[in-house]
């Protein structure tokens, strides 16, 4: 990472060591709830964005059945305007 005034030295080091960084409250609770609801709608196939792929952890199926809790990834969701809005947030 590059020196900047956005992240602390500790945050940069954590990212370099772990490959990710959690920044709490970066996105509003209201937006997170909207994204969560849209994620669930996609998992339940209430909406079906063209090209979206839903990845499931089959080892969780016995515990959670067909619920969204077995989904560990949705990829290629750019055609879903609400969920893709997350990617365009200035904060992100």
């Amino acid at each position: 990472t590059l020196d900047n005034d956005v992240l602390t030295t500790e945050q940069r080091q954590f990212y370099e060591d772990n490959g990710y960084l959690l920044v709490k409250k970066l996105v509003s609770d209201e937006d997170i709830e909207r994204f969560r609801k849209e994620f669930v709608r996609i998992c339940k196939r209430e909406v079906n964005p063209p090209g979206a792929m839903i990845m499931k952890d089959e080892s969780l199926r016995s515990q959670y059945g067909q619920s969204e809790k077995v989904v560990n990834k949705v990829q290629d969701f750019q055609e879903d305007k609400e969920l893709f809005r997350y990617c365009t947030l200035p904060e992100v």
Side-chain angles (χ1 to χ4, degrees):
T1 59
L2 301 175
D3 236 351
N4 62 60
D5 60 352
V6 178
L7 301 177
T8 66
T9 302
E10 293 80 15
Q11 288 173 314
R12 288 180 51 221
Q13 189 61 54
F14 184 91
Y15 178 81
E16 290 177 13
D17 293 344
N18 299 285
Y20 73 94
L21 178 65
L22 175 64
V23 180
K24 294 181 180 186
K25 300 296 184 180
L26 181 68
V27 177
S28 73
D29 290 340
E30 295 80 18
D31 272 339
I32 292 294
E33 182 60 19
R34 287 177 61 181
F35 300 138
R36 189 195 66 75
K37 284 180 180 179
E38 189 66 4
F39 174 83
V40 170
R41 289 182 66 222
I42 291 171
C43 293
K44 291 181 175 181
R45 300 208 184 267
E46 293 173 4
V47 294
N48 192 13
M53 293 181 61
I54 299 171
M55 312 288 194
K56 297 180 180 180
D57 183 342
E58 294 298 326
S59 68
L60 298 175
R61 191 174 298 276
S62 62
Q63 185 177 358
Y64 296 112
Q66 294 292 334
S67 84
E68 71 279 358
K69 293 180 179 180
V70 300
V71 176
N72 60 4
K73 181 192 234 183
V74 174
Q75 70 181 44
D76 300 326
F77 57 86
Q78 64 271 14
E79 297 299 324
D80 185 272
K81 289 183 181 179
E82 179 60 23
L83 199 54
F84 190 71
R85 189 172 65 81
Y86 172 81
C87 299
T88 64
L89 291 175
E91 300 89 335
V92 175

